[in-house]
Amino acid sequence: MTMTRNYILSLVALLISIALGVSIGAVMIPISALWDASNESSTNILWSIRIPRVLLAGLVGAALALAGAAFQGLLKNPLADPYTLGVSSGASLAAVATIYFGFSSSIFGLFTLPFFGMIGAGVSLIIVLAFAKLVDRSMKMETLILTGIIVSSFLGSMISLMIALSGDEIRQIITWLMGSVSMRGWPYVKMIWPFITLGGILIWLNRRELNAMLFGEERAKYLGVNVKKSKWMILIGGAMLTGAAVSVSGTIAFVGLVVPHMTRMLFTTDHRHLLLLSVLNGATLLIICDIISRTIIAPTELPIGVITSFIGAPVFAYIFFKQRRKKG
């Protein structure tokens, strides 16, 4: 009954945030305008601008939160998320390179940007984990975070180089890097939902394996888990989610850290429920952050990444402090 209540609370919060996201903007439009054919201009604004924006924010938030929950469970580390592990930076570099060099593919078409974003996310994650294991075979929390910072810094310098060398693309790249779901529209929703669905399925299929691996790899093997296969499926799923999200919204920090941690604290540590609840709460958080970003200094819009960093940085500091105190 308690878990049912948790799902109901999370779902109600998501529905309220969607209703607010659709209604609030430069022009206040009641959600009833969706089925009011007499007000054509309001209906057009809702269907062509507001609804795809809210859907995109929800998809990106859900993807980043699910990836964060998976990485935290796999690495048994509450500070692991796509941003702190450098995965977002890898996806960002790949997406910026795609924009800068004007890559296009007749094979992938609309999906070219998320495809390269996922490749970048996967490669950067492999580099971070390999380097961290080379430095410290036990891959302690501090080692992983420092490795993520090193890789992120290096990839960030490559992005800065492209910005310095770019001409007409510079505004598009900088706007994209700051994180936003503004003026994306239905094509971007169509662009990422297949990858988010597939990445989510890969992680969801390993929800019981994530629970088993919390007790250590040897215990998980004893319980019948194919640890190597599960690890790769989770890592590939997390890279797909991160790459797809970053490729359409830019770098949005800390969603993958804050949401799973708060969900674990408030609701459950069981990945059979934690993953789904993180999806719902991640979507809710980013929709609310998007509402704040477009209203706090209206008519100017703040990048959504600024809002998530304001929320995420103190939470990151709190978790880090708590972990260090526990070890001390």
Side-chain angles (χ1 to χ4, degrees):
M1 184 64 187
T2 304
M3 198 51 64
T4 304
R5 184 199 65 193
N6 294 339
Y7 279 110
I8 291 170
L9 286 172
S10 297
L11 189 58
V12 167
L14 176 59
L15 292 174
I16 291 171
S17 69
I18 290 172
L20 291 173
V22 169
S23 301
I24 296 172
V27 179
M28 293 292 293
I29 302 173
I31 199 165
S32 58
L34 283 172
W35 51 86
D36 183 5
S38 63
N39 195 339
E40 191 176 337
S41 63
S42 294
T43 305
N44 285 337
I45 290 171
L46 290 181
W47 283 108
S48 61
I49 299 173
R50 298 270 178 89
I51 291 176
R53 178 171 183 156
V54 168
L55 281 177
L56 191 64
L59 283 171
V60 169
L64 293 174
L66 181 55
F71 290 149
Q72 288 172 16
L74 179 64
L75 300 171
K76 299 183 286 293
N77 188 329
L79 289 175
D81 91 314
Y83 184 75
T84 57
L85 288 177
V87 184
S88 291
S89 296
S92 296
L93 176 61
V96 166
T98 304
I99 296 168
Y100 177 75
F101 292 108
F103 288 142
S104 61
S105 169
S106 56
I107 298 172
F108 300 113
L110 182 67
F111 304 116
T112 301
L113 194 59
F115 176 77
F116 280 111
M118 287 185 295
I119 297 294
V123 170
S124 64
L125 180 60
I126 290 168
I127 291 170
V128 167
L129 294 176
F131 187 67
K133 196 164 188 179
L134 193 66
V135 173
D136 178 5
R137 291 194 68 81
S138 64
M139 289 204 293
K140 291 178 184 172
M141 175 183 69
E142 295 88 346
T143 308
L144 273 170
I145 300 305
L146 286 172
T147 305
I149 291 168
I150 291 166
V151 172
S152 291
S153 299
F154 177 72
L155 297 177
S157 67
M158 294 181 72
I159 292 171
S160 298
L161 176 63
M162 286 187 204
I163 291 172
L165 296 174
S166 62
D168 296 338
E169 307 94 349
I170 190 166
R171 178 176 287 276
Q172 184 185 358
I173 290 172
I174 290 175
T175 302
W176 178 86
L177 276 174
M178 293 174 79
S180 176
V181 290
S182 173
M183 303 306 291
R184 298 295 197 262
W186 288 108
Y188 284 83
V189 175
K190 293 174 186 175
M191 185 191 296
I192 64 164
W193 78 262
F195 299 107
I196 288 177
T197 302
L198 183 56
I201 289 170
L202 285 175
I203 290 173
W204 175 247
L205 290 173
N206 289 276
R207 60 197 183 280
R208 291 183 176 84
E209 286 77 359
L210 278 167
N211 279 341
M213 283 190 277
L214 287 175
F215 300 102
E217 290 186 16
E218 290 303 317
R219 181 76 182 271
K221 286 177 185 175
Y222 179 75
L223 293 170
V225 174
N226 186 334
V227 173
K228 190 174 182 180
K229 179 186 171 185
S230 295
K231 268 186 172 181
W232 277 107
M233 285 180 72
I234 293 164
L235 290 174
I236 291 169
M240 288 185 76
L241 290 167
T242 306
V246 170
S247 66
V248 297
S249 66
T251 306
I252 295 176
F254 295 118
V255 174
L257 182 138
V258 171
V259 174
H261 182 73
M262 298 307 292
T263 303
R264 202 179 286 110
M265 263 179 48
L266 296 173
F267 298 134
T268 180
T269 57
D270 185 344
H271 285 88
R272 292 175 301 170
H273 302 294
L274 175 66
L275 296 177
L276 284 176
L277 289 168
S278 293
V279 166
L280 295 173
N281 296 329
T284 301
L285 176 66
L286 207 63
I287 291 170
I288 290 170
C289 287
D290 181 50
I291 294 169
I292 295 169
S293 74
R294 55 184 148 111
T295 56
I296 193 167
I297 54 169
T300 306
E301 282 194 22
L302 275 177
I304 197 170
V306 173
I307 307 299
T308 59
S309 293
F310 266 120
I311 297 168
V315 175
F316 180 91
Y318 165 74
I319 299 169
F320 187 68
F321 178 75
K322 191 176 170 185
Q323 290 289 312
R324 296 296 294 174
R325 283 293 294 272
K326 196 183 290 184
K327 288 188 177 184

